[in-house]
Amino acid sequence: MTVVSPLPRGPVTAPDAAVPFARDLARHGNRLAVVAGDDRWTYRELAQRVDAAAARLGAGRKLVLVSGANDAEQLVTYLAALAAGHVALLVPPAQAGAVAAAYDPDVVLLPGGELEVRRPASAHELHPDLALLMPTSGSTGSPKLARLSHENVQANAESIVAYLGVRDTDRAVTTLPMHYVYGLSVVNTHLLRGAAVVLSNLSVADACFWDLFRAEGGTSLAGVPHTFDLLDRVGFASMRLPRLRYVTQAGGRLDPARVGRYAELGRRAGWDFVVMYGQTEATARMAYLPPRLAAAHPATVGVPIPGGSFVIEPAPEAVSPDVGELVYHGPNVMLGYASSPADLGLGRTVTALRTGDLARRTAEGLYEIVGRRSRFVKIAGLRVDLDHLETALTRPGVAVRCTGTDGELLVAVSGPSADAEATAVRHEVASRLGLPARAVTVAAVADVPRLANGKVDYPALRELVSAAPGAAPPSAGTDATTPERLRALYAELLGRPDATLDSTFVGLGGDSLSYVEVSIRLEDELGAVPANWHVTPIRELAAARATAAPGRWRVRRLETSAALRALAIVCVVGTHAGLFTLLGGAHVLVAVAGFNFARFRLTAAGRATRLRRQAVGIARIAVPSVLWIGGVVLLTDQYGPLNVLLLNGLLGPPSWTSDWHFWFVEVLVYILVVLAALLAVPSVDRLERRFPVAFPVVLLGFGLLGRYEVVDLGVPHTMPVFWLFAFGWAAARASRPWQRLGLTAVLAATVPGFFGNSVREAAILGGVALLMWAATVPCPAPLHRVVSVLASSSLYIYLTHWQVYPHLDGIHPALAVTASVAAGIAAWLLAARVTALVSGLGARQGAARAASGTAPDRARGARPPADPSAGTADPHDPPAGRGCRSR
């Protein structure tokens, strides 16, 4: 066995049996071809790399296994195989070992980019027309492959380019892996046309994906139905994507209502929404719905692609005379299937593709899928072979039967030990499929229902599993999500292969940019994200389950601290602008600040790490405050130098003037600075760790001395509110009901009389009590994003509203409030861009100094900075500002 290092060599002459677009890359010259991290290759440079890779593959046709990840080396090797006449075998990375064992490839691209040439000549008979092998059964592990020819690959790419109107100026940021035929078609079509492909493994749920998309001028977006679930969650409808030309959807049926909604969204925003229909056996696409027809005919898949045609043939499962099996003809229809290496020498065994789908042709000439003949379902874009899955899951003494529909997999377990074995089956399903947990239901059944002929009655089985007393998605069970599965998820999303079962999100360096994607993926796995998940070890998360209600309009759970920040900042601005009067919001924010200080800063990390995080947290409050106030001082005479230096609380006048506008920021900084100094003392740090509840309770007692003016440090406003900060800290640490009851009693005894205003005191009492007793609060899904933005930008709203509402409240208080909130959000977004630029510069400098030569963390367009230790920070933003991590 020879291992060849990936060093460039001279070009080779491509044989006639090659895919033309892969062979002719150089004809596009100096146009941008590929962006992969910091690498940017022109077509001429890409062609040189492909030639060098082809030389490493050697002479003679070979079977070349590529894992199909969105990686530059995988792409180059794939193209080299197509260009030099070899046969490329694309498989998911997780299946590479199993497929390699089944098909014994001649060449394998190993992780890290090393090419293993196992033999100088192929061990297989490879048919001259064979160019590409693709798995056909999604993640079930079936060895069945679709045999695709050079003509199949080229013809389908040309057809897609034609009906989508792909331009050489287009740029596609990858949203799907290359081992999935839909994702591969995006790559093929853009390279055929001379457009650019931006390789990324980021999810559309990750803010970094959208930073990359905007930075690279993305013009197209491809998604399966699950992608659109994520798009709805991250507020895609409100995103500004100036270069976006079209959004495509395939990989399963999208709800017609959502098709109509996205079609209308695209019409308003200036991009096309294109529904497409295809199968691996047709290389990629068979039909598309012209964008102009999507709103009026959202239930259809449209018309055949250029060069293809449909025939509807009678089927016994048809429910009406106009319904039959959809059969496709076209140059992109595969040569046939391969189930073993012996099949690689076969020629064409298939002339038309029987899709297994039941369809009808509408009066407008459009095709509509109304059902499925075959035993396959599509879930999250993956095509699952139910028969193969049944065989794989069944073991001696345990019978497993699978059924379902697109988007739902139902598994029945029967046998003497069905109840006990259901747990093992849950593990197996989760590890084999890699699907959103809520899409799979497992139940133990006494008997499998059967028809008179002895065959399984699958419709009855579906009803039986759905109605079984213990039936629930793995997200609702106790054993469905294994700790190892979550560990792998953390390792992937955070770029930390060293993650262990005892790791936490914060401990692994999770930041605001990865928080969103990790929380959404955890929600898929667990049903709902537990409170304090970010500091919970992975092994404990795997045991924490909650059931999430289905549907886009379901009521979601929002962290109480975030809801309080959003509500409090609206109350502060609304009260100041005279829209209404509801005092106490700022004081609730002080308690929230203490609560989040305990959550995000007082982790199990070492003392030095804690202090570093505290210093960063202080800076993220102080720096924007100083910059804003300094700018106001330069332009007006409203404030003075003490305000700029945040020293008015220490050295300013005792009476209330406009100089006290920023008392909240000053007091918060004072508290955090003092606590950082206190916890820097090793003995104090040890005390806090040993007595996590008693320590803040003692500080609470000290704060109450200021509350009741027993102690006067001569610092107005500081001591009287420190007890609220300490109270929030203690509330975060109180884990037992009697501790919360005791704190509630203290709260009820100490808040009344603080202001002499019963309404204000009731607001503080209610807000802090809610913070202590409710980890989350219900929030309608459409408002979830709004509340999160308000919470995240609350510091900036607080800073800027003093300069906005006075100019508008004379016109109307509502206008003043709206403008103040808008200005604060704008300042928050601007701060994000500045932070991104600074972080990006630092990352590039760090990368230049790094001896390893690894790519720096991507920091383009980081989410707006927010400090989780502050009352104005977003708990969905732990520790922010480090920029997007390349993955």
Side-chain angles (χ1 to χ4, degrees):
M1 180 173 64
T2 304
V3 176
V4 183
S5 60
L7 297 174
R9 297 184 180 178
V12 296
T13 302
D16 293 336
V19 177
F21 80 78
R23 180 189 58 202
D24 301 333
L25 294 169
R27 70 188 179 91
H28 299 297
N30 290 323
R31 298 195 58 81
L32 180 65
V34 174
V35 177
D38 290 336
D39 292 328
R40 307 178 71 85
W41 303 336
T42 66
Y43 272 90
R44 183 171 285 110
E45 293 168 334
L46 176 61
Q48 291 171 351
R49 291 175 180 272
V50 168
D51 286 344
R56 292 196 297 274
L57 294 177
R61 301 183 72 221
K62 295 184 177 69
L63 179 61
V64 182
L65 187 145
V66 180
S67 71
N70 293 337
D71 170 81
E73 200 65 37
Q74 307 285 342
L75 173 63
V76 167
T77 305
Y78 159 71
L79 292 172
L82 296 189
H86 300 287
V87 177
L89 169 55
L90 263 61
V91 294
Q95 295 181 20
V99 174
Y103 281 88
D104 187 23
D106 305 307
V107 182
V108 176
L109 184 62
L110 300 172
E114 187 177 53
L115 201 67
E116 180 186 71
V117 180
R118 295 182 169 182
R119 54 186 69 93
S122 180
H124 309 291
E125 180 182 350
L126 305 174
H127 192 275
D129 293 338
L130 184 61
L132 178 63
L133 295 165
M134 297 287 289
T136 64
S137 298
S139 58
T140 64
S142 170
K144 181 186 288 187
L145 305 173
R147 296 183 291 114
L148 304 171
S149 70
H150 307 92
E151 181 190 14
N152 291 157
V153 177
Q154 182 74 17
N156 204 232
E158 291 176 351
S159 180
I160 297 171
V161 166
Y163 74 73
L164 283 182
V166 180
R167 303 171 183 170
D168 59 8
T169 54
D170 280 335
R171 292 192 182 184
V173 183
T174 57
T175 54
L176 303 164
M178 288 198 306
H179 60 73
Y180 179 36
V181 72
Y182 183 13
L184 186 64
S185 72
V186 174
V187 173
N188 290 347
T189 53
H190 283 70
L191 295 181
L192 168 67
R193 191 64 179 84
V197 176
V198 182
L199 297 177
S200 171
N201 288 310
L202 293 169
S203 164
V204 296
D206 194 325
C208 293
F209 174 86
W210 298 107
D211 297 334
L212 178 65
F213 194 93
R214 294 185 185 94
E216 295 297 343
T219 61
S220 65
L221 186 70
V224 297
H226 184 58
T227 306
F228 292 87
D229 292 338
L230 299 178
L231 291 178
D232 286 344
R233 292 184 183 183
V234 299
F236 174 76
S238 62
M239 291 183 183
R240 185 174 180 275
L241 305 169
R243 292 200 61 196
L244 181 62
R245 293 205 308 114
Y246 57 89
V247 175
T248 62
Q249 182 272 319
R253 185 176 187 267
L254 193 64
D255 180 71
R258 186 175 285 185
V259 171
R261 181 164 59 83
Y262 270 86
E264 176 59 23
L265 176 62
R267 187 191 64 78
R268 294 198 309 266
W271 45 263
D272 290 333
F273 183 59
V274 186
V275 173
M276 305 187 301
Y277 166 69
Q279 293 181 0
T280 304
E281 292 86 343
T283 311
R285 307 273 70 81
M286 293 182 287
Y288 74 102
L289 180 60
R292 70 182 186 279
L293 302 177
H297 304 279
T300 70
V301 296
V303 298
I305 64 173
S309 63
F310 284 125
V311 175
I312 294 180
E313 296 189 358
E317 299 87 351
V319 295
S320 64
D322 63 337
V323 171
E325 182 178 9
L326 192 64
V327 179
Y328 175 77
H329 298 261
N332 52 315
V333 173
M334 67 175 180
L335 298 173
Y337 289 113
S339 297
S340 69
D343 296 331
L344 303 184
L346 297 177
R348 179 169 293 281
T349 59
V350 173
T351 57
L353 179 59
R354 306 190 70 86
T355 65
D357 289 323
L358 298 174
R360 69 183 184 91
R361 188 173 185 270
T362 70
E364 296 79 15
L366 306 176
Y367 288 86
E368 179 182 0
I369 309 298
V370 298
R372 188 182 292 277
R373 288 194 67 189
S374 57
R375 292 266 296 141
F376 289 86
V377 294
K378 279 192 175 180
I379 304 175
L382 297 174
R383 190 164 180 244
V384 180
D385 184 334
L386 297 179
D387 291 327
H388 178 82
L389 188 59
E390 284 185 355
T391 301
L393 295 175
T394 297
R395 54 181 64 93
V398 180
V400 177
R401 294 292 179 263
C402 302
T403 184
T405 59
D406 282 358
E408 179 185 42
L409 176 63
L410 304 175
V411 181
V413 183
S414 63
S417 56
D419 289 328
E421 289 291 339
T423 296
V425 171
R426 283 191 177 99
H427 283 290
E428 184 107 14
V429 171
S431 62
R432 278 180 174 272
L433 300 183
L435 296 172
R438 62 174 178 266
V440 184
T441 299
V442 180
V445 298
D447 297 296
V448 174
R450 297 185 180 275
L451 300 169
N453 60 8
K455 294 183 178 180
V456 176
D457 185 348
Y458 283 104
L461 182 69
R462 181 181 300 115
E463 295 180 6
L464 183 62
V465 173
S466 300
S475 57
T478 57
D479 296 300
T481 303
T482 63
E484 178 57 29
R485 183 177 173 83
L486 290 188
R487 190 209 65 78
L489 185 148
Y490 272 54
E492 173 196 356
L493 298 185
L494 297 179
R496 292 293 300 269
D498 57 335
T500 69
L501 297 181
D502 294 315
S503 298
T504 67
F505 175 85
V506 171
L508 290 172
D511 54 27
S512 63
L513 300 165
S514 51
Y515 188 99
V516 174
E517 183 178 14
V518 175
S519 64
I520 289 176
R521 291 285 294 274
L522 282 178
E523 186 176 273
D524 286 340
E525 293 290 337
L526 306 177
V529 178
N532 295 327
W533 68 266
H534 55 289
V535 291
T536 303
I538 292 172
R539 68 171 76 249
E540 295 180 21
L541 273 180
R545 305 293 194 282
T547 302
R552 175 176 174 265
W553 296 103
R554 67 181 173 90
V555 174
R556 300 184 63 183
R557 305 298 300 184
L558 181 69
E559 291 190 15
T560 302
S561 59
L564 287 175
R565 276 197 306 282
L567 179 61
I569 195 61
V570 171
C571 289
V572 167
V573 177
T575 299
H576 290 169
L579 181 62
F580 50 77
T581 299
L582 184 56
L583 300 171
H587 291 80
V588 172
L589 287 177
V590 173
V592 173
F595 186 84
N596 283 332
F597 176 79
R599 293 177 68 207
F600 292 96
R601 296 296 176 237
L602 301 183
T603 65
R607 183 165 55 90
T609 300
R610 275 187 171 190
L611 291 175
R612 183 171 64 252
R613 290 176 178 172
Q614 290 176 52
V616 171
I618 294 168
R620 287 184 181 136
I621 300 171
V623 170
S625 300
V626 168
L627 291 176
W628 176 261
I629 300 170
V632 174
V633 168
L634 289 176
L635 298 175
T636 71
D637 57 357
Q638 187 173 4
Y639 306 116
L642 291 180
N643 295 109
V644 177
L645 299 175
L646 303 181
L647 294 175
N648 185 71
L650 293 173
L651 305 175
S655 59
W656 179 267
T657 67
S658 62
D659 289 340
W660 282 98
H661 281 173
F662 303 102
W663 72 268
F664 173 81
V665 174
E666 293 181 347
V667 166
L668 195 55
V669 170
Y670 299 163
I671 291 173
L672 294 175
V673 168
V674 171
L675 289 177
L678 185 64
L679 293 171
V681 179
S683 59
V684 177
D685 180 76
R686 287 193 295 270
L687 280 174
E688 190 280 327
R689 294 173 190 268
R690 185 175 180 183
F691 305 104
V693 178
F695 190 93
V697 168
V698 171
L699 292 181
L700 171 59
F702 178 73
L704 288 173
L705 296 178
R707 148 74 176 93
Y708 289 104
E709 300 181 351
V710 175
V711 174
D712 184 4
L713 296 181
V715 184
H717 297 285
T718 303
M719 282 301 297
V721 299
F722 174 74
W723 69 283
L724 290 172
F725 183 97
F727 198 100
W729 180 350
R733 293 303 203 199
S735 58
R736 299 180 180 178
W738 67 265
Q739 294 171 336
R740 295 195 186 98
L741 284 171
L743 287 173
T744 303
V746 173
L747 182 70
T750 55
V751 170
F754 187 50
F755 287 104
N757 180 322
S758 59
V759 175
R760 187 175 193 177
E761 290 164 357
I764 297 173
L765 181 63
V768 179
L770 186 66
L771 179 69
M772 181 166 50
W773 285 100
T776 62
V777 293
C779 177
L783 295 180
H784 192 274
R785 176 66 175 169
V786 175
V787 175
S788 297
V789 169
L790 285 173
S792 300
S793 58
S794 53
L795 171 63
Y796 294 85
I797 295 173
Y798 184 87
L799 289 173
T800 59
H801 87 283
W802 297 107
Q803 280 69 56
V804 178
Y805 83 83
H807 301 288
L808 299 170
D809 58 356
I811 300 174
H812 197 283
L815 176 62
V817 172
T818 302
S820 297
V821 170
I825 293 174
W828 174 61
L829 294 172
L830 177 61
R833 294 301 174 188
V834 173
T835 301
L837 291 174
V838 173
S839 299
L841 178 61
R844 287 191 292 272
Q845 291 174 343
R849 292 192 299 266
S852 65
T854 54
D857 287 351
R858 186 176 301 280
R860 286 194 290 265
R863 271 189 73 190
D867 176 24
S869 68
T872 52
D874 185 2
H876 290 279
D877 254 337
R882 274 184 243 159
C884 296
R885 190 185 302 279
S886 297
R887 290 194 293 278

